[in-house]
Amino acid sequence: MTPSVFPVILSGGAGSRLWPLSRELHPKQLIALVDEHTLLQVTVRRLAALDDALRPPIVVCNEAHRFLVAEQLADVGVTPAAILLEPAGRNTAPAIAAGALEALGRCGEGEDPVLVVLPADHVIRDEARFDDAVRHAVAEAARGTIALLGVVPAYAETGYGYIRAGESVGVRSGENSSENSGARRVERFVEKPDAADAAAWIEAGNCFWNSGMFVFRAGRYLEELRIHAPDIRRAVEKAHGRARPDLGFVRLDADSFIQSPAMSVDHAVMEHTLDAVVVPLDAGWSDVGSWASLSELSEGDEAGNVVEGDAILHDARGTYVRSTGRMVAAVGVADLVIVDTADAVLVAGKQSAQGVKEVVRRLEGASREEFRTHRKVYRPWGNYDSVHASEGFKVKHIVVHPGRRLSLQSHRHRAEHWVVVRGTARVTRGDETFTLRASQSTYIPKGVRHRLENPGPGQLELIEVQTGSYLGEDDIHRFEDAYGRAGADAGAADADPVPASE
């Protein structure tokens, strides 16, 4: 019997080396970096050529990203088998275990499906070669091996983990040679070798970059965890067994899940199993792990400069500039990365681009908002942009999608003035409900229950001016909410880990 094949998409990463574009609450997999689609959308669309063999994907993500993930999947017409919510990051081994248990639960008794485990933040240029490698890896996994896609190295990169490969698996008795994957036994995993070792292995032709893409049967993976990382298996089994549905998501039990050790699948399983094989992948792969690597994916001008957005370069070479709004000018520079967002600017040497992670660490240590989120914040109902703030007031541009509504809420410390600039707003203020159109406005006094809705077919846009003694995003009390967020005062009591706003 041909086994069911489930893609398991891992969408829990932070992408800190792509700050300031990638933030904790809006990481790189949820951003359009190389074309009009986000990396998550590119990942699920990449599976389209394998539709005849695949079940709908199981997506594992941080619960703080759940509405963005669901909306982005819907935007490209993908209905997942499940979106599993991690209450806390525990690295890839527990995340994959949750996906394995979910896949087993969606199959018939005694069936052991094959999982195609894919990070949500990779770029692959040659999708036909990727499809071919996945099919070969699925065939290997169906026979009981633990397969992974090993990228044929283009140069002696020291920022990737390596796989040293042994003998060819070969064609098994009774099998058609055309089905042979070219798979090779895995001799060992090496974590980021030095330049000399990497160059020697590439010269010998016996190594691959570790792509982080794996293919194996769900039951086989769980059995490997039982042997090599039993604490992970026990914790995730309990978390999945106690999971509950929540507005179309599957919320893993938090108390159980956080008991799992935080460990990568490499350390938990791949470095210990005796049945690992590597399937070569030569398809223009990149993990988009830094601004330098993103620059390499883009076509530059004759001086090697790459410009995304509004920028003017003069007497510049080898420089990557990305602007999300303002015009950027660079004069007499070389080999730089310049990234401008609404609230932060990064200037780094290309050779120092990996050091961006240290900037992020310092921002996190200082509890800076630039670590967590952008000035523009996405919500299940739309988004808001904090245009300006000063002592005693804040101005926001708010967008509400058609048919969506904010929670029924009140604020203890601030009043709000709303001016509609586009679309139609249905406003609840105290005991009254009324409609506002473009150029009309209303005032929401401090402490009054209120709600904003968009009953129209188009986007609702308005300007909100807040005034008061405290304008923090945690000054909110929810009485009703369409998105399952708690009714208690926001902050620690709020079920949504995202700072509660509107």
Side-chain angles (χ1 to χ4, degrees):
M1 181 179 69
T2 302
S4 297
V5 182
F6 282 89
V8 175
I9 310 298
L10 305 180
S11 184
S16 58
R17 288 175 293 180
L18 287 182
W19 184 90
L21 203 59
S22 179
R23 310 279 176 103
E24 182 188 37
L25 298 182
H26 200 149
K28 69 172 182 176
Q29 65 268 25
L30 303 179
I31 299 172
L33 290 175
V34 294
D35 58 25
E36 70 274 15
H37 292 108
T38 70
L39 294 182
L40 171 64
Q41 290 173 327
V42 169
T43 300
V44 295
R45 284 164 58 89
R46 189 180 297 134
L47 300 168
L50 296 164
D51 274 352
D52 59 330
L54 299 185
R55 299 279 290 270
I58 296 169
V59 180
V60 187
C61 73
N62 188 301
E63 64 179 346
H65 308 150
R66 63 194 186 279
F67 294 115
L68 271 174
V69 167
E71 185 169 335
Q72 289 189 6
L73 294 176
D75 284 346
V76 292
V78 173
T79 302
I83 299 177
L84 306 183
L85 305 182
E86 293 181 291
R90 283 296 182 267
N91 216 315
T92 54
I96 296 170
L101 291 164
E102 184 68 22
L104 284 166
R106 293 177 176 273
C107 293
E109 185 175 353
E111 185 180 357
D112 189 4
V114 170
L115 308 182
V116 178
V117 180
L118 304 175
D121 56 358
H122 290 181
V123 170
I124 295 174
R125 292 301 194 189
D126 192 331
E127 296 192 352
R129 287 189 175 185
F130 169 78
D131 295 343
D132 188 55
V134 169
R135 292 180 189 276
H136 287 316
V138 168
E140 287 294 333
R143 302 180 182 111
T145 57
I146 306 289
L148 65 152
L149 302 187
V151 175
V152 177
Y155 50 88
E157 170 63 53
T158 59
Y160 296 145
Y162 278 67
I163 304 159
R164 289 191 64 176
E167 64 181 6
S168 173
V169 173
V171 182
R172 293 170 174 79
S173 176
E175 294 174 354
N176 189 312
S177 62
S178 65
E179 296 178 355
N180 182 32
S181 66
R184 297 169 65 179
R185 296 290 179 189
V186 173
E187 285 190 350
R188 62 180 289 212
F189 289 85
V190 181
E191 185 66 25
K192 297 179 181 178
D194 61 30
D197 282 344
W201 294 341
I202 289 175
E203 178 68 22
N206 65 344
C207 70
F208 300 90
W209 289 338
N210 186 351
S211 72
M213 295 184 280
F214 304 92
V215 184
F216 37 62
R217 286 189 182 269
R220 177 62 194 275
Y221 176 71
L222 294 172
E223 177 62 14
E224 293 282 345
L225 284 181
R226 184 190 67 79
I227 298 169
H228 304 297
D231 289 348
I232 293 177
R233 174 166 172 167
R234 281 194 296 268
V236 180
E237 281 184 334
K238 187 178 293 185
H240 189 266
R242 295 177 176 176
R244 59 183 176 86
D246 181 9
L247 296 174
F249 305 102
V250 177
R251 189 180 288 274
L252 299 171
D253 179 67
D255 291 340
S256 304
F257 193 78
I258 62 177
Q259 297 303 313
S260 172
M263 192 178 298
S264 71
V265 64
D266 294 324
H267 293 323
V269 171
M270 301 307 298
E271 293 176 359
H272 306 289
T273 183
L274 300 178
D275 289 318
V277 301
V278 57
V279 175
L281 175 67
D282 189 4
W285 170 89
S286 173
D287 69 346
V288 201
S290 69
W291 286 112
S293 63
L294 181 60
S295 174
E296 292 168 1
L297 293 171
S298 307
E299 185 175 349
D301 62 16
E302 62 277 5
N305 300 310
V306 175
V307 172
E308 303 283 352
D310 189 7
I312 296 175
L313 274 64
H314 174 70
D315 189 25
R317 58 182 176 80
T319 292
Y320 177 90
V321 179
R322 189 181 190 108
S323 174
T324 62
R326 294 174 294 191
M327 191 276 289
V328 173
V331 180
V333 299
D335 299 321
L336 290 183
V337 170
I338 303 171
V339 182
D340 178 73
T341 66
D343 61 349
V345 178
L346 170 70
V347 180
K350 273 191 176 179
Q351 300 305 313
S352 303
Q354 296 286 349
V356 174
K357 205 167 186 176
E358 174 60 21
V359 174
V360 174
R361 187 192 66 79
R362 293 175 65 176
L363 289 171
E364 181 181 12
S367 299
R368 295 282 299 256
E369 277 301 300
E370 294 90 342
F371 159 74
R372 288 176 54 79
T373 188
H374 289 277
R375 199 182 75 177
K376 186 174 184 178
V377 177
Y378 291 86
R379 288 289 181 263
W381 44 261
N383 61 75
Y384 69 86
D385 186 354
S386 297
V387 177
H388 186 68
S390 190
E391 185 69 30
F393 76 93
K394 181 185 290 185
V395 181
K396 288 183 177 179
H397 174 217
I398 296 177
V399 176
V400 184
H401 298 321
R404 304 289 179 87
R405 62 180 183 174
L406 284 64
S407 59
L408 180 64
Q409 60 187 255
S410 68
H411 309 293
R412 288 193 297 269
H413 304 290
R414 73 176 186 248
E416 297 174 344
H417 190 174
W418 295 344
V419 181
V420 176
V421 296
R422 183 174 290 108
T424 301
R426 180 182 293 127
V427 178
T428 298
R429 185 181 61 185
D431 295 329
E432 57 180 333
T433 299
F434 51 92
T435 298
L436 297 176
R437 292 180 172 81
S439 299
Q440 296 181 325
S441 64
T442 190
Y443 175 70
I444 310 294
K446 179 173 61 178
V448 172
R449 295 190 185 195
H450 58 279
R451 167 174 270 160
L452 177 65
E453 304 178 57
N454 179 2
Q459 299 279 44
L460 165 63
E461 296 185 45
L462 59 93
I463 299 299
E464 175 183 273
V465 180
Q466 302 176 358
T467 57
S469 59
Y470 177 71
L471 305 175
E473 300 298 345
D474 54 348
D475 179 21
I476 179 174
H477 184 91
R478 289 193 177 98
F479 301 95
E480 296 176 9
D481 184 60
Y483 310 107
R485 296 170 294 182
D489 289 280
D494 197 328
D496 191 342
V498 180
S501 178
E502 322 309 337

